């Protein structure tokens, strides 16, 4: 079921072409995930309430997106897309309440391995649809090479974390091998950079979480990471050149400026959730500014600003800060460290792709999972063996 939700099915292009039927099919796939989420929430109402409290800013953000239908430039589109992210929120909460961080990571990694394997098989078979004819690089079983890049980054980072966990090393190794190959053939520079950043973050978090380090070393490492980040920003042109990209990031600087110009028209409330880039609204305006019609701002933060205004961006940043605050207390748990590093890596990734609050988006579902699992320390009861309760992977069933 999660494999289908990830979009790993090439038939959406082979059979349907560009028709809207595949998107409707994704909504159908999301319905069972929502039902499972509702059942998990109903089975543990107190923990679900605590989980909602820990992620109150995220819940309020989804509600704000729903309210944006009232002032949206395209209310019908906003309404439909709000429903999809509400379904994803319920599904994520249910998964977090149902499974431990380790088992949840195995489920996600297994999903990405299936997607990566299908992509490589299609590419090796010589299927022309497996290659992104516009952007270049392999897209495999997905609609764009960057989508394959996102799936690959998720699988690789969690796979590296599973390499250190008993009973999950083989799955982790498979994910890492498939991930390296897919990153190379997809040629998604953003995914490569984000994966490398995630690996570095995971290593640093492991060192900071180590009890063997003297107390004064940990803040020094945090300071070194901050200085490294500043140096990375200052070396921006050199980094892009090393990745084979121009300084405009394939014209993204123009899209960002265009987004900011349009945001200034509705600074507080925005244009309505995912309404600005729709086919009917602003079609001529967008076509007159760019060589092709875009459907996103290519920056997660600017996209929220355009859709939901300063209020929406404030709520989203509040959620990021709350996750960060919880994460700093959980660095000693290796199962949580891999989720925290994944979450941090996609904060970096989102500076060039609008992956936050993506309707029917597997990556957004995983980002919510990564943020929510940091609430395990208060939302999940301990098992009788002293650790967090978990459900064995062998007890998990898949539909699709």
């Amino acid at each position: 079921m999660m494999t289908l939700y990830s979009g790993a099915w090439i038939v959406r292009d082979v059979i349907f072409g560009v028709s809207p039927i595949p998107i409707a099919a994704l909504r159908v796939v999301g319905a069972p995930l929502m039902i499972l989420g509702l059942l998990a929430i109903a089975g543990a109402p107190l923990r679900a309430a605590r989980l909602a409290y820990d992620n109150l800013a995220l819940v309020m953000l989804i509600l704000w997106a729903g309210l944006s239908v009232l002032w949206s430039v395209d209310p019908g589109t906003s309404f439909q897309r709000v429903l999809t992210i509400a379904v994803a929120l319920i599904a994520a909460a249910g998964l977090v309440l149902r499974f431990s961080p380790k088992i949840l990571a195995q489920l996600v990694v297994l999903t990405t391995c299936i997607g990566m394997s299908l992509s490589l098989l299609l590419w090796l078979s010589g299927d022309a649809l497996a290659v992104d004819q516009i952007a270049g690089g392999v897209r495999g079983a997905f609609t764009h090479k960057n989508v394959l890049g996102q799936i690959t980054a998720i699988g690789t980072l969690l796979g590296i974390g599973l390499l250190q966990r008993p009973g999950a090393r083989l799955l982790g190794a498979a994910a890492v091998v498939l991930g390296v190959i897919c990153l190379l053939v997809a040629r998604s520079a953003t995914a490569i950079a984000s994966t490398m950043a995630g690996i570095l973050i995971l290593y640093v978090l492991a060192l900071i979480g180590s009890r063997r380090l003297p107390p004064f070393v940990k803040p020094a490492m945090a300071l070194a990471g901050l200085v490294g980040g500043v140096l990375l920003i200052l070396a921006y042109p050199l980094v892009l050149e090393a990745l084979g990209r121009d300084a405009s990031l394939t014209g993204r600087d123009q899209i960002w400026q265009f987004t900011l110009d349009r945001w200034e028209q509705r600074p507080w409330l925005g244009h309505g959730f995912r309404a600005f880039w729709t086919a009917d609204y602003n079609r001529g305006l967008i076509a007159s500014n760019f060589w092709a019609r875009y459907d996103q701002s290519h920056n997660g933060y600017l996209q929220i600003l355009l859709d939901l205004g300063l209020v929406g961006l404030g709520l989203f940043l509040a959620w990021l800060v709350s996750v960060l605050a919880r994460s700093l207390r959980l660095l000693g748990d290796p199962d949580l460290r891999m989720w925290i590093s994944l979450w941090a890596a996609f904060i970096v990734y989102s500076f060039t792709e609008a992956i936050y609050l993506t309707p029917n988006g597997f990556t957004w579902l995983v980002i919510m999972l990564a943020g929510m699992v940091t609430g395990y320390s208060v939302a999940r009861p301990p098992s009788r063996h002293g650790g967090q309760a978990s459900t064995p992977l062998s007890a998990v069933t898949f539909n699709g």
Side-chain angles (χ1 to χ4, degrees):
M1 187 186 302
M2 288 182 67
T3 302
L4 292 178
Y5 190 78
S6 72
W9 45 352
I10 195 65
V11 293
R12 61 193 300 186
D13 283 319
V14 175
I15 299 176
F16 301 118
V18 295
S19 77
I21 297 178
I23 302 301
L26 273 178
R27 293 177 186 141
V28 172
V29 172
L33 289 176
M34 180 188 71
I35 293 173
L36 293 176
L38 289 173
L39 291 175
I41 292 171
L46 293 180
R47 288 191 288 125
R50 186 55 192 263
L51 188 63
Y53 176 79
D54 286 341
N55 296 275
L56 183 59
L58 177 61
V59 175
M60 292 178 64
L61 176 63
I62 304 300
L63 292 175
W64 181 251
L67 286 175
S68 74
V69 173
L70 299 176
W71 59 80
S72 172
V73 297
D74 189 346
T77 296
S78 292
F79 179 75
Q80 292 179 15
R81 296 181 176 182
V82 165
L83 288 180
T84 62
I85 61 169
V87 167
L89 177 66
I90 295 171
L95 289 170
V96 168
L97 291 170
R98 182 71 176 84
F99 303 110
S100 70
K102 177 184 174 182
I103 300 302
L104 195 55
Q106 289 177 271
L107 286 172
V108 172
V109 168
L110 182 59
T111 299
T112 62
C113 283
I114 294 173
M116 289 187 289
S117 298
L118 287 174
S119 297
L120 290 176
L121 287 174
L122 287 167
W123 175 57
L124 292 174
S125 70
D127 194 322
L129 288 172
V131 178
D132 196 319
Q133 302 297 332
I134 298 177
V138 174
R139 69 172 184 172
F142 299 91
T143 55
H144 195 279
K145 70 169 188 176
N146 287 341
V147 180
L148 175 59
Q150 294 167 23
I151 298 295
T152 300
I154 293 170
T156 303
L157 291 174
L158 290 181
I160 291 173
L162 291 178
L163 287 175
Q164 309 171 39
R165 312 306 298 146
R169 293 190 176 97
L170 183 60
L171 179 60
V176 172
V177 172
L178 288 170
V180 170
I181 297 173
C182 285
L183 282 174
L184 292 175
V185 300
R187 292 164 51 193
S188 175
T190 306
I192 294 173
S194 299
T195 302
M196 294 175 62
I199 295 172
L200 177 61
I201 292 169
L202 181 61
Y203 176 71
V204 171
L205 293 182
L207 291 178
I208 294 177
S210 174
R211 297 179 180 180
R212 291 175 293 181
L213 287 178
F216 68 88
V217 174
K218 297 180 180 181
M221 292 182 64
L223 179 61
L226 178 62
V227 172
V230 173
L231 292 176
L232 182 62
I233 294 174
L234 293 177
Y236 174 75
L238 296 177
V239 173
L240 292 179
E241 183 179 351
L243 293 174
R245 306 291 289 271
D246 60 272
S248 69
L249 278 170
T250 321
R252 281 175 170 82
D253 57 344
Q254 299 177 37
I255 306 173
W256 297 339
Q257 185 59 55
F258 178 79
T259 298
L260 288 172
D261 291 341
R262 298 303 154 186
W263 160 72
E264 291 178 352
Q265 297 175 354
R266 296 187 174 196
W268 291 101
L269 303 182
H271 291 259
F273 182 66
R274 292 284 172 164
F276 182 85
W277 300 97
T278 56
D280 294 329
Y281 180 76
N282 277 341
R283 180 193 294 270
L285 179 64
I286 295 170
S288 65
N289 280 273
F290 306 109
W291 64 272
R293 189 183 70 83
Y294 287 92
D295 61 356
Q296 58 156 300
S297 300
H298 282 284
N299 182 294
Y301 310 96
L302 292 182
Q303 183 68 54
I304 295 176
L305 196 62
L306 181 69
D307 290 344
L308 303 174
L310 287 170
V311 176
L313 183 61
L315 289 172
F316 181 73
L317 293 179
W319 181 61
L320 292 187
V321 171
S322 68
V323 173
L324 177 61
R326 293 197 301 267
S327 300
L328 293 177
R329 304 195 302 266
L330 302 170
L331 298 182
D333 189 330
D335 289 340
L336 291 174
R337 275 201 305 265
M338 58 181 166
W339 282 104
I340 294 170
S341 66
L342 176 68
W343 177 79
F346 275 97
I347 289 179
V348 176
Y349 189 98
S350 296
F351 279 100
T352 59
E353 294 291 335
I355 57 176
Y356 295 139
L357 298 172
T358 305
N360 300 308
F362 178 75
T363 302
W364 169 239
L365 175 67
V366 172
I367 291 173
M368 284 194 291
L369 293 176
M372 287 182 180
V373 294
T374 59
Y376 262 96
S377 59
V378 292
R380 194 172 185 86
S383 69
R384 60 182 179 179
H385 302 293
Q388 291 175 341
S390 69
T391 301
L393 187 59
S394 59
V396 180
T397 58
F398 296 89
N399 298 317

